[in-house]
Amino acid sequence: MWGFESMKYIFVSGGVISGIGKGIASASVAFLLKSAGFKVAPLKMDPYLNVDAGTMNPLAHGETFVLDDGRETDQDLGHYERFLNESLDSTNIATQGSIYLSVIQKERNLEYEGDYVDIHNVTQEIINRIQNAGKARNADIVLIEIGGTAGEYQNVLFLEANRLLKLKKHDDVLHIHISYLPVPSTLGEMKSKPVQMSVRDLNAVGIQPDILLARSSLPIDVPRIKRLSFNTGIEDQDIIPAPDVTNVYEIPLDFEAHKLTDRILQKLKLKRKKKKGLLKEWGSFVKKANGAKKTIKIGIVGKYFTSGNGVLTDSYISVIEAIKHASFSFGLKPEVTWLDSGKITSKIDILKEYQGIIVPGGFGSRDVEGKITTIQYARENKIPYFGLCYGMQLAVVEYARNVLRLSGAHTTEIDPETKYPVIHIMPDQTKKLLSREYGATMRLGAWDCKLKQNTLTFKLYGKKSTISERHRHRYEFNNDFLESFLTNGFLISGTTTDGKLVEIIELKDHPFFIGTQFHPELKSRPLDPHPLFMGFIKAASQVKV
Ligand code: GLN
């Protein structure tokens, strides 16, 4: 029943500071609308000029989340997939770079028929992307999350698209502003002025928010709701408290308790199609998560943690969420520790404190030896080990060096001259790197993988013969070494369907030692935890520390 006439549009903007959970709040709104019976198409609009997120350093940008169709996106797409329990595609993401690129390509192809190409063509392209997102999912509602913060010039064209749509389709367009009320420690009091200013910034570009999500460390109180309502013109009941929470999955339930869904539906002149929908199932999941008392200690050894004086965990957000999903389903409370691979070599004993160890995805040579030492420790001490992409490749390197005695074995990503290139570049990748074609050229997205019977992996996947998982890499297991590996209990438990690429490795005499060439964390969902993470957490829960 899709048609422009019947489609509704919800824009979400952020205010005051970044990092206040706009993505999670938007995903929560999407979830609530889905449970009220509507088909929602999320669309993340990122202000940066990169065509996709694949060319950015995780420290600058956070995790690159890969979709089934291979699109390299922002971590917010991960939030939408987890909250909606749906797989998304390229129509659900638009960076400003990709929008400009389309406009310029159209101009080169004479699609503007000799017209003067102007900034309004960019706004038109933004509106096209919004319509396409709805059309692709046959949606009732498109939820457009505008990246960045109100008042920046970087996202002003997205807001201009919002203004124009609102002018044309007044009753079908809603704007939710999520903004931050600081509580300065010297005052101990919540301040509303920054939010008043961020609403004014929106007003200055022709947008009046309909709903305000009041992010703060504490719930916003009545006097401040009144003050904000008076100053911004947003009704009292449309100012929804959004205090910090320890479990982000509670957020949809908190919003529902404040009648956010009803307020949205009323403003968009929609009637709830389902009463409780998915909310009940979600509620039981949150109850189980919050009731978990017994902890499970997992160490993640990676290099993208240190940011200035702080620790940044955004680079591995899907890994953390996947650990949570599996732990919660066993009624366990995960305690995740970040271990900097650069510091581990001299303090290897620190690993004794963990029931399970993960080496996640990564690139380049920095601190690789620390990761290899970690893997050796986990293998020899029978600590459950889960290697994700680079973590699988380095497990192969470790095994080659320390079990097969191939001294100096390595991945050619780090040592192109190694005598034992147990991990090497995929044939089609060499040309791409030589011609510096870095953007969107890795092996990306979902690929089918054939599982080997009688392996732990096969058992964990519920004895499925074929699975599908998402990839993002240039290097692979070197089959020239296959025979030497297939002794001593090293198993190849998954390959591509043509048998050519190794996708999963595992060790026999170990409680859990699995490495995947793909990123299983990208497909774990709260209501549908990933089977390999389930296996890993179960094995880890049996380790005493
Ligand atoms: N650097 C490795 C490769 O390109 C692993 C990539 C990853 O961990 N995502 O193959």
Side-chain angles (χ1 to χ4, degrees):
M1 57 136 257
W2 174 81
F4 290 129
E5 293 316 312
S6 57
M7 206 152 68
K8 306 279 182 182
Y9 307 88
I10 299 176
F11 288 86
V12 183
S13 64
V16 179
I17 52 171
S18 61
I20 55 174
K22 176 156 48 77
I24 293 203
S26 307
S28 301
V29 171
F31 167 81
L32 288 172
L33 294 167
K34 180 179 175 176
S35 32
F38 297 94
K39 182 84 191 137
V40 186
L43 173 59
K44 175 75 198 288
M45 302 211 102
D46 272 315
Y48 47 79
L49 290 183
N50 302 61
V51 174
D52 58 46
T55 52
M56 274 185 272
N57 182 327
L59 276 180
H61 171 259
E63 171 186 85
T64 301
F65 191 86
V66 184
L67 305 179
D68 278 341
D69 67 7
R71 181 67 188 255
E72 295 169 284
T73 74
D74 184 76
Q75 55 178 313
D76 285 326
L77 269 281
H79 300 318
Y80 289 113
E81 286 202 348
R82 288 186 281 268
F83 279 75
L84 287 172
N85 203 0
E86 288 174 28
S87 292
L88 301 173
D89 61 40
S90 298
T91 59
N92 303 104
I93 176 97
T95 72
Q96 196 151 221
S98 75
I99 289 162
Y100 275 99
L101 190 65
S102 299
V103 172
I104 291 169
Q105 271 162 354
K106 282 185 188 165
E107 184 273 330
R108 294 286 82 187
N109 299 343
L110 220 62
E111 282 178 49
Y112 294 110
E113 295 171 355
D115 241 6
Y116 182 85
V117 181
D118 199 350
I119 212 73
H120 77 266
N121 296 97
V122 178
T123 317
Q124 182 58 55
E125 185 63 29
I126 295 171
I127 295 173
N128 292 347
R129 299 289 179 103
I130 295 171
Q131 309 273 27
N132 279 341
K135 194 171 163 183
R137 300 186 85 72
N138 204 13
D140 304 303
I141 303 168
V142 192
L143 185 136
I144 306 109
E145 180 193 342
I146 299 177
T149 310
E152 293 177 346
Y153 57 84
Q154 286 93 331
N155 56 14
V156 87
L157 291 180
F158 299 146
L159 293 166
E160 172 65 358
N162 178 173
R163 187 186 71 86
L164 289 173
L165 267 176
K166 178 80 183 173
L167 283 175
K168 292 202 164 61
K169 294 169 67 65
H170 187 267
D171 290 345
D172 295 335
V173 179
L174 187 85
H175 190 103
I176 300 178
H177 186 49
I178 165 157
S179 202
Y180 194 69
L181 293 98
V183 185
S185 58
T186 45
L187 302 175
E189 183 199 350
M190 188 183 289
K191 305 303 283 183
S192 69
K193 190 66 63 65
V195 175
Q196 295 176 37
M197 308 304 273
S198 72
V199 172
R200 270 175 174 249
D201 279 327
L202 288 175
N203 294 162
V205 291
I207 286 162
Q208 168 61 23
D210 303 282
I211 290 176
L212 178 73
L213 302 179
R215 279 286 293 117
S216 188
S217 49
L218 305 166
I220 184 170
D221 57 15
V222 175
R224 282 169 187 84
I225 288 182
K226 295 238 168 292
R227 193 174 312 149
L228 270 181
S229 175
F230 179 80
N231 283 292
T232 62
I234 302 168
E235 310 243 0
D236 291 22
Q237 73 262 42
D238 295 327
I239 300 180
I240 311 282
D244 291 349
V245 286
T246 41
N247 176 3
V248 295
Y249 296 114
E250 274 171 34
I251 293 171
L253 304 176
D254 293 348
F255 285 169
E256 182 67 14
H258 285 95
K259 307 225 173 308
L260 176 61
T261 323
D262 292 339
R263 297 304 300 154
I264 294 174
L265 295 182
Q266 195 188 356
K267 285 174 192 293
L268 287 176
K269 301 195 174 21
L270 291 170
K271 282 214 161 40
R272 203 182 263 271
K273 294 186 190 168
K274 282 191 193 150
K275 255 204 145 140
K276 277 262 175 252
L278 296 160
L279 269 168
K280 220 172 130 203
E281 207 185 332
W282 195 268
S284 325
F285 158 75
V286 170
K287 202 166 158 207
K288 193 160 179 191
N290 289 351
K293 295 267 169 321
K294 201 167 163 226
T295 57
I296 175 108
K297 295 185 173 179
I298 305 296
I300 302 186
V301 182
K303 70 170 182 182
Y304 301 115
F305 296 139
T306 324
S307 165
N309 291 333
V311 173
L312 194 88
T313 56
D314 268 11
S315 319
Y316 303 109
I317 187 154
S318 293
V319 180
I320 306 169
E321 296 310 308
I323 293 173
K324 284 192 204 165
H325 306 155
S327 304
F328 292 158
S329 76
F330 289 117
L332 295 166
K333 189 175 163 189
E335 214 179 271
V336 175
T337 306
W338 309 103
L339 299 159
D340 195 327
S341 47
K343 298 186 187 134
I344 213 105
T345 337
S346 54
K347 289 200 232 149
I348 195 75
D349 274 357
I350 204 176
L351 295 175
K352 275 201 192 88
E353 293 168 29
Y354 305 101
Q355 292 162 279
I357 293 167
I358 290 180
V359 172
F363 294 84
S365 62
R366 182 157 65 84
D367 306 336
V368 148
E369 291 304 321
K371 294 183 190 174
I372 296 174
T373 315
T374 300
I375 297 167
Q376 180 178 10
Y377 186 92
R379 182 178 55 78
E380 290 175 349
N381 293 284
K382 308 244 184 263
I383 302 175
Y385 172 74
F386 200 6
L388 312 173
C389 201
Y390 211 21
M392 170 269 197
Q393 296 176 352
L394 296 177
V396 170
V397 169
E398 189 280 320
Y399 195 85
R401 286 185 189 177
N402 301 321
V403 180
L404 305 181
R405 300 276 157 218
L406 304 176
S407 164
H410 222 319
T411 156
T412 55
E413 178 175 357
I414 311 304
D415 181 2
E417 305 303 326
T418 173
K419 229 163 100 190
Y420 305 111
V422 288
I423 301 290
H424 67 170
I425 194 151
M426 286 184 277
D428 60 323
Q429 289 289 331
T430 318
K431 259 199 333 257
K432 291 175 185 163
L433 293 191
L434 280 174
S435 50
R436 299 189 65 79
E437 289 167 53
Y438 291 110
T441 58
M442 286 191 228
R443 179 172 176 239
L444 290 168
W447 291 77
D448 279 350
C449 166
K450 200 168 63 180
L451 297 182
K452 190 174 163 54
Q453 296 198 355
N454 301 323
T455 57
L456 175 59
T457 309
F458 182 65
K459 201 174 126 204
L460 290 172
Y461 272 108
K463 304 199 172 164
K464 281 193 193 139
S465 55
T466 312
I467 50 144
S468 168
E469 295 282 1
R470 295 179 184 171
H471 298 69
R472 183 171 187 255
H473 63 114
R474 294 190 200 277
Y475 295 80
E476 58 161 331
F477 182 92
N478 183 349
N479 284 324
D480 291 348
F481 292 88
L482 196 59
E483 271 179 36
S484 359
F485 271 89
L486 293 178
T487 52
N488 303 314
F490 184 101
L491 302 174
I492 305 288
S493 40
T495 62
T496 40
T497 44
D498 60 6
K500 287 193 178 146
L501 300 184
V502 168
E503 299 279 40
I504 315 173
I505 58 135
E506 67 178 66
L507 293 187
K508 238 190 205 156
D509 299 320
H510 196 286
F512 186 105
F513 192 104
I514 290 181
T516 59
Q517 185 55 83
F518 49 80
H519 289 273
E521 70 274 19
L522 302 180
K523 288 189 54 169
S524 180
R525 313 265 167 83
L527 302 183
D528 198 5
H530 193 283
L532 293 183
F533 276 89
M534 294 283 277
F536 170 67
I537 294 294
K538 189 163 180 215
S541 70
Q542 275 142 27
V543 174
K544 304 255 168 304
V545 285

